[in-house]
Amino acid sequence: MFPWLAFGHMIPYLDLAKFIAQKGHKISYLSTPRNLNRLPKLPPHLSSLITFVPISLPRVDQLPENAEATMDVPPDDVHYLKKAFDGLEPELARFLETESPHWIIYDFVPHWLPPIAGKLGISQAFFLIINAWFLAFFGPSASMLDNSVMRPTDPEQFTVPPKWITFPTKAAYHDYEIKRTFKTSSEQENASGVEDFYRAGCTITGCDVLAIRHCREFEPNWLTLLEELHQKPIIPLGLMPPSVEEPGGDSNDTWVSISEWLNKQNIASVVYVALGSEVALRPDELTELALGLELSGLPFFWVLRKPVGLTEADSFTLLHGFEERTKHRGIVWKNWAPQLRILSHDSVGGFLTHCGWSSSGEGIRFGLPLIMLPLVLDQCLNARIMEGHEFGIEVPRDEGDGSFTRNSVAESIRLVMVDKEKGSIYRERAKAMSSLFGDKVLHDQYLDYFVQYLENHKSQD
């Protein structure tokens, strides 16, 4: 297993590693030393089957000391991390040559890996931790390999569904999302010299099978489209819903504190707010979101962590007086929070989310309607799909600059959480879909099939 250096990638790769290991297979999980130390501890019964293999990240001057994951650097500096990641090629090649695994399962970043594994006769799976519509939206791998085609110089290319999508869909970007999502490609330096589209095109073209976190019971057309676009076996892994585990140690103390507050709230009254840990709101957006929560008049639990790259001297403070004014009905939580346990609590009735694929699925899994504030990348397409299924609504924004107001935040929250006519539709739709998104038996069957595929198509010893 060789994931990209982001915990939103490393955790799904570890979950998949655990499932494969449960079937009796040995796994080497490769990442940098600090990242491996930050991963959850392995269950004792799998510790002999999964080996964490540290590989040293080459030094890049622009990266801070000990920066080994996207959470360690500001978003605008991730391209330096990709440059360092590309420097892992020699050490990874030596490992593959020495160990001769049957399969390597890799992420979208190592464009240089398929030729190495191919030369060694190692079977290759590309595991995309996001869903099928995000990949399908950008077309065949041949177009990804042509940077001139995929550069968003013409916004119209992204603001409507592409011509190869022949079924009805709302999947498309707004102008302001294109500017925010693709600014690194079009405006800023790219220290690695390799565009993300090109990386993905290489890893897809070189793989033997493409595994994706999707299921046929939800938006199945996209899986068929991926097969047509890439002419590869496409294997859905299901939605891979994580288990709500009992906390231990310090996390248990955290949960006790949080649950004491949640237990005092009315059933389905609290809006849980979490916008991910790696893409930050601008100060003006932070202010409007805070005032919107206040205006809504509803209880809230807001997980708000300081963006990566800010020092103590940088400004990252809520509007003066906000926390004091709302302390009787709201919590601003500035540390790690056990999201699954919070979402599963009876007092939580809605989820204000950035619409990452994991978070979106977790909200629907617990039957919570979504108030959506997507920022970049797949979040934007996820929000269009989720709104199309009436699982919730997007906070209205200015089409020109993407700004939103406190009033639009407050009105969106109240509509989804308490409105008796329109809002009840979103609440009922999310509740009805929770049985699919949380069906562990169904999603494990997808993983079973994938393991069988690996067993039947492995490289020869």
Side-chain angles (χ1 to χ4, degrees), residues 292-318:
L293 288 167
E294 184 176 0
L295 275 174
S296 75
L298 295 175
F300 63 86
F301 190 98
W302 185 4
V303 178
L304 180 64
R305 302 180 72 178
K306 187 167 67 175
V308 171
L310 287 191
T311 67
E312 293 301 325
D314 290 316
S315 173
F316 180 67
T317 54
L318 291 170

Side-chain angles (χ1 to χ4, degrees), residues 415-416 419-427:
L415 174 61
V416 168
D419 185 88
K420 290 183 178 176
E421 294 181 15
K422 270 190 174 180
S424 63
I425 295 172
Y426 304 125
R427 295 190 292 273

Side-chain angles (χ1 to χ4, degrees), residues 156-458:
E156 292 300 314
Q157 178 184 0
F158 293 90
T159 56
V160 295
K163 61 182 182 295
W164 51 81
I165 302 176
T166 56
F167 47 86
T169 181
K170 293 186 176 182
Y173 286 90
H174 296 300
D175 282 339
Y176 60 83
E177 292 170 336
I178 293 169
K179 292 169 187 171
R180 196 165 187 161
T181 294
F182 298 107
K183 66 176 183 178
T184 299
S185 298
S186 56
E187 297 171 16
Q188 296 184 345
E189 176 192 1
N190 181 355
S192 74
V194 185
E195 299 283 0
D196 283 352
F197 285 124
Y198 183 81
R199 291 178 183 278
C202 289
T203 50
I204 294 169
T205 301
C207 75
D208 298 299
V209 61
L210 198 161
I212 195 157
R213 195 154 55 142
H214 204 105
C215 68
R216 295 185 187 88
E217 290 75 10
F218 186 70
E219 293 278 337
N221 290 343
W222 297 97
L223 292 169
T224 304
L225 178 58
L226 277 183
E227 289 180 339
E228 294 169 357
L229 289 172
H230 298 295
Q231 298 295 301
K232 298 267 182 187
I234 307 294
I235 300 185
L237 301 186
L239 302 183
M240 300 177 66
S243 300
V244 183
E245 297 178 356
E246 290 297 322
D250 293 340
S251 62
N252 187 56
D253 296 337
T254 297
W255 174 241
V256 168
S257 174
I258 293 171
S259 61
E260 282 178 356
W261 184 84
L262 290 172
N263 291 340
K264 296 173 185 174
Q265 312 307 314
N266 294 330
I267 290 176
S269 67
V270 176
V271 57
Y272 174 64
V273 185
L275 299 176
S277 58
E278 300 200 9
V279 179
L281 293 176
R282 297 188 295 262
D284 58 314
E285 295 173 326
L286 195 67
T287 295
E288 292 302 312
L289 176 56
L291 293 176
L293 288 167
E294 184 176 0
L295 275 174
S296 75
L298 295 175
F300 63 86
F301 190 98
W302 185 4
V303 178
L304 180 64
R305 302 180 72 178
K306 187 167 67 175
V308 171
L310 287 191
T311 67
E312 293 301 325
D314 290 316
S315 173
F316 180 67
T317 54
L318 291 170
L319 196 66
H320 179 69
F322 167 76
E323 290 181 77
E324 180 64 27
R325 293 194 306 272
T326 59
K327 66 181 181 182
H328 297 299
R329 63 175 175 85
I331 295 282
V332 180
W333 191 265
K334 296 178 180 176
N335 297 300
W336 173 86
Q339 179 159 296
L340 289 175
R341 294 189 67 83
I342 295 171
L343 291 173
S344 66
H345 196 280
D346 288 343
S347 70
V348 177
F351 185 10
L352 199 161
T353 172
H354 65 309
C355 259
W357 185 220
S358 292
S359 289
S360 300
E362 288 165 5
I364 300 302
R365 172 190 175 183
F366 293 110
L368 299 177
L370 308 177
I371 304 106
M372 296 175 274
L373 202 60
L375 299 172
V376 294
L377 294 167
D378 64 304
Q379 302 164 15
C380 310
L381 301 185
N382 295 343
R384 307 297 109 82
I385 298 290
M386 296 292 156
E387 190 168 56
H389 282 276
E390 297 184 313
F391 295 156
I393 61 170
E394 289 191 57
V395 174
R397 297 163 86 157
D398 182 275
E399 279 298 322
D401 62 10
S403 61
F404 54 88
T405 67
R406 62 200 71 175
N407 288 320
S408 64
V409 171
E411 289 164 8
S412 299
I413 291 172
R414 292 195 61 80
L415 174 61
V416 168
M417 294 283 291
V418 299
D419 185 88
K420 290 183 178 176
E421 294 181 15
K422 270 190 174 180
S424 63
I425 295 172
Y426 304 125
R427 295 190 292 273
E428 288 166 9
R429 290 283 295 161
K431 196 167 290 184
M433 192 55 67
S434 65
S435 58
L436 170 60
F437 274 63
D439 189 342
K440 187 156 174 54
V441 173
L442 170 70
H443 298 302
D444 281 357
Q445 287 172 352
Y446 279 102
L447 292 171
D448 277 330
Y449 178 82
F450 180 59
V451 175
Q452 291 169 17
Y453 186 94
L454 297 181
E455 291 170 347
N456 294 332
H457 296 82
K458 67 182 180 181

Side-chain angles (χ1 to χ4, degrees), residues 45-238:
H45 70 287
L46 297 180
S47 58
S48 64
L49 292 168
I50 300 177
T51 302
F52 287 143
V53 179
I55 47 178
S56 300
L57 197 67
R59 184 86 183 99
V60 171
D61 289 340
Q62 296 85 350
L63 288 177
E65 194 73 32
N66 295 322
E68 297 185 6
T70 54
M71 67 181 293
D72 302 325
V73 298
D76 288 348
D77 287 348
V78 168
H79 64 110
Y80 295 120
L81 197 62
K82 286 176 180 156
K83 178 181 179 181
F85 184 87
D86 288 341
L88 297 174
E89 178 180 351
E91 194 168 347
L92 187 73
R94 283 194 296 273
F95 172 85
L96 294 177
E97 191 167 2
T98 302
E99 298 297 326
S100 298
H102 292 116
W103 280 92
I104 181 162
I105 302 175
Y106 55 69
D107 218 325
F108 78 98
V109 180
H111 61 99
W112 36 264
L113 179 52
I116 295 171
K119 186 177 179 182
L120 296 170
I122 299 167
S123 297
Q124 304 174 60
F126 170 46
F127 170 31
L128 182 69
I129 56 119
I130 308 173
N131 49 58
W133 57 76
F134 178 66
L135 184 56
F137 188 85
F138 296 104
S141 47
S143 67
M144 295 181 184
L145 294 170
D146 183 349
N147 281 340
S148 64
V149 173
M150 295 311 297
R151 276 185 176 273
T153 50
D154 176 13
E156 292 300 314
Q157 178 184 0
F158 293 90
T159 56
V160 295
K163 61 182 182 295
W164 51 81
I165 302 176
T166 56
F167 47 86
T169 181
K170 293 186 176 182
Y173 286 90
H174 296 300
D175 282 339
Y176 60 83
E177 292 170 336
I178 293 169
K179 292 169 187 171
R180 196 165 187 161
T181 294
F182 298 107
K183 66 176 183 178
T184 299
S185 298
S186 56
E187 297 171 16
Q188 296 184 345
E189 176 192 1
N190 181 355
S192 74
V194 185
E195 299 283 0
D196 283 352
F197 285 124
Y198 183 81
R199 291 178 183 278
C202 289
T203 50
I204 294 169
T205 301
C207 75
D208 298 299
V209 61
L210 198 161
I212 195 157
R213 195 154 55 142
H214 204 105
C215 68
R216 295 185 187 88
E217 290 75 10
F218 186 70
E219 293 278 337
N221 290 343
W222 297 97
L223 292 169
T224 304
L225 178 58
L226 277 183
E227 289 180 339
E228 294 169 357
L229 289 172
H230 298 295
Q231 298 295 301
K232 298 267 182 187
I234 307 294
I235 300 185
L237 301 186

